Amino acid sequence: MADASVTSNDQHDPHTTDAARHHDPAVRGFASDNYAGVHPEILAAVALANGGHQVAYGEDDYTGHLQDVFRRHFGPRAEAFPVFNGTGANVVALQSVSERWGAVVAAESAHIHVDECGAPEKMGGLKLLTVPTPDGKLTPELIDRQAWGWGDEHRAQPLAVSITQTTELGTCYGVEEVRAICEHAHERGMVVHMDGSRIANAAATLDVPLREFTTDAGVDLLSFGGTKNGLLFGECVVVLNPDVARGVKYLRKMSMQLASKMRFVSVQFEALLAGDLWLRNARHSNAMAERLETAVRDIDGVTVVRPVQANAVFAILPRDVSERLQKRYRFYFWNEHTGEVRWMASFDTTEDDIDSFAAAILEEMAKR
């Protein structure tokens, strides 16, 4: 007789799963907004798109509708190309506005230079010309340190400028700062790319529509971030000026960024952008960073070293204190030499999270 404890496939309850939870969902840290889970409204959208068959590789109804969603935010010429991740978005975008002999001017602290394992150079064939900046932001004057040598066959030709909004140092370009960069670059025949992995946080800080500091300011194309603002996965290359970008759909495939079941990427962006979820999430994470800065600014021995303009707080405190804190909360050293650390707030960070962390900092400082 068969073992009665063994259940055949056709008897298996379809609502059960053999997966096990391997973490405590009540634990949150301050290492990165990439650590956060998925916003419930995004998960609901993924479930909405599930079931039945849809054409693969972006020919589905959700990706088609997504174009209208992005155009409402960025203007009638905008075209969105969903991709898997931010590095892929940057590589695809920058390749589309460059030549094999081209170079991209960027801040020395830029993600494309520091944190993408050489992908723009190795995968995209792009030369990066970087400039030191005090606050992560380029200016026309700083761009000119590398924007020269056109016509010299011995020098990679500066064809594009890439800025990050918000920057890797937590700072935010104002509308006029972006406009000045775009005008300066365009006068020199260069195009402007914006790495917008935290673009929603910038809009929340500036309190202006997305197109005001992108399309209307002269940005040609951008990498639009979703993962750091509540998505399960996915970013978008958004072409704002079709006159300067070429072959994005081919580059996306060639760069291994074309999702077969693209509807599940596109529906996330629709849920994020069709209403105000993108802004709600960003405003909340910004507010939590402000709350943290307020809570620690008067703790003796803690120095907040950069302006808090989005959802990041940079601080210096005694190394032994930071190392003890890291055993209680996840976060990273930003500068090993100076002891500077970075604390990131996320869409799901709570006031209790902030208050408990600030109390822990106070406790560890008191032990000294």
Side-chain angles (χ1 to χ4, degrees):
M1 179 179 291
D3 186 346
S5 66
V6 178
T7 305
S8 65
N9 288 338
D10 60 349
Q11 294 175 315
H12 189 75
D13 184 349
H15 300 292
T16 64
T17 176
D18 293 327
R21 175 171 277 163
H22 299 290
H23 80 292
D24 182 349
V27 173
R28 287 177 290 273
F30 300 92
S32 172
D33 34 13
N34 285 321
Y35 277 42
V38 184
H39 194 282
E41 293 179 38
I42 300 298
L43 282 177
V46 172
L48 178 72
N50 199 25
H53 287 202
Q54 279 274 286
V55 184
Y57 299 110
E59 298 298 321
D60 58 276
D61 294 338
Y62 296 91
T63 303
H65 180 67
L66 186 64
Q67 303 306 318
D68 293 331
V69 174
F70 268 95
R71 284 167 186 153
R72 289 203 297 270
H73 285 287
F74 294 102
R77 301 184 75 203
E79 187 173 6
F81 297 85
V83 295
F84 287 114
N85 55 48
T87 297
N90 288 335
V91 170
V92 170
L94 290 170
Q95 284 185 96
S96 76
V97 295
S98 188
E99 302 287 356
R100 293 177 64 186
W101 51 86
V104 179
V105 178
E108 194 172 67
S109 57
H111 198 274
I112 59 173
H113 176 57
V114 177
D115 295 304
E116 295 186 352
C117 198
E121 293 99 335
K122 194 169 186 66
M123 304 304 296
L126 301 161
K127 172 68 174 177
L128 299 182
L129 302 173
T130 63
V131 184
T133 69
D135 55 3
K137 295 196 291 185
L138 290 177
T139 64
E141 294 74 22
L142 289 174
I143 289 169
D144 282 347
R145 294 187 183 181
Q146 291 284 15
W148 54 272
W150 292 284
D152 181 355
E153 67 266 36
H154 300 287
R155 178 172 169 78
Q157 299 294 283
L159 301 180
V161 173
S162 181
I163 61 176
T164 311
Q165 180 76 310
T166 59
T167 75
E168 289 74 15
L169 302 183
T171 51
C172 181
Y173 286 94
V175 176
E176 293 307 315
E177 289 178 305
V178 176
R179 192 186 313 279
I181 287 172
C182 292
E183 290 177 354
H184 191 76
H186 292 159
E187 288 172 358
R188 285 152 180 74
M190 305 169 73
V191 301
V192 178
H193 164 259
M194 178 178 285
D195 181 348
S197 63
R198 296 186 177 95
I199 193 172
N201 298 91
T205 294
L206 297 172
D207 196 26
V208 298
L210 287 164
R211 68 173 293 163
E212 189 165 332
F213 61 93
T214 55
T215 311
D216 294 347
V219 175
D220 296 295
L221 76 168
L222 67 93
S223 303
F224 189 99
T227 309
K228 293 178 172 63
N229 199 30
L231 265 61
L232 174 62
F233 69 96
E235 318 286 301
C236 275
V237 175
V238 187
V239 177
L240 305 177
N241 180 5
D243 297 334
V244 300
R246 299 175 301 160
V248 177
K249 70 176 184 178
Y250 307 113
L251 292 165
R252 177 174 59 177
K253 177 64 174 179
M254 190 172 69
S255 301
M256 298 169 285
Q257 290 291 317
L258 180 65
S260 58
K261 296 185 179 180
M262 196 181 295
R263 59 171 149 160
F264 297 109
V265 184
S266 298
V267 75
Q268 293 182 77
F269 278 104
E270 180 181 358
L272 188 72
L273 291 167
D276 68 345
L277 179 59
W278 66 279
L279 191 55
R280 280 189 279 129
N281 284 353
R283 283 176 171 165
H284 177 79
S285 58
N286 285 5
M288 291 302 97
E290 291 175 9
R291 185 182 184 92
L292 179 57
E293 193 273 337
T294 299
V296 304
R297 70 164 67 134
D298 295 327
I299 297 178
D300 189 29
V302 177
T303 303
V304 177
V305 294
R306 304 184 190 278
V308 178
Q309 297 180 344
N311 62 325
V313 178
F314 292 83
I316 292 178
L317 56 164
R319 187 178 186 89
D320 61 308
V321 172
S322 293
E323 290 174 346
R324 290 198 302 273
L325 279 169
Q326 285 180 320
K327 296 177 181 178
R328 302 170 64 176
Y329 295 87
R330 288 297 299 263
F331 63 87
Y332 294 115
F333 278 94
W334 184 258
N335 186 318
E336 291 283 349
H337 178 69
T338 64
E340 183 179 355
V341 297
R342 186 190 72 168
W343 300 321
M344 297 296 303
S346 306
F347 79 88
D348 62 349
T349 302
T350 68
E351 292 183 354
D352 285 344
D353 292 335
I354 298 297
D355 297 344
S356 297
F357 185 48
I361 295 172
L362 192 59
E363 290 171 13
E364 296 299 341
M365 290 299 299
K367 292 179 181 178
R368 301 189 88 244

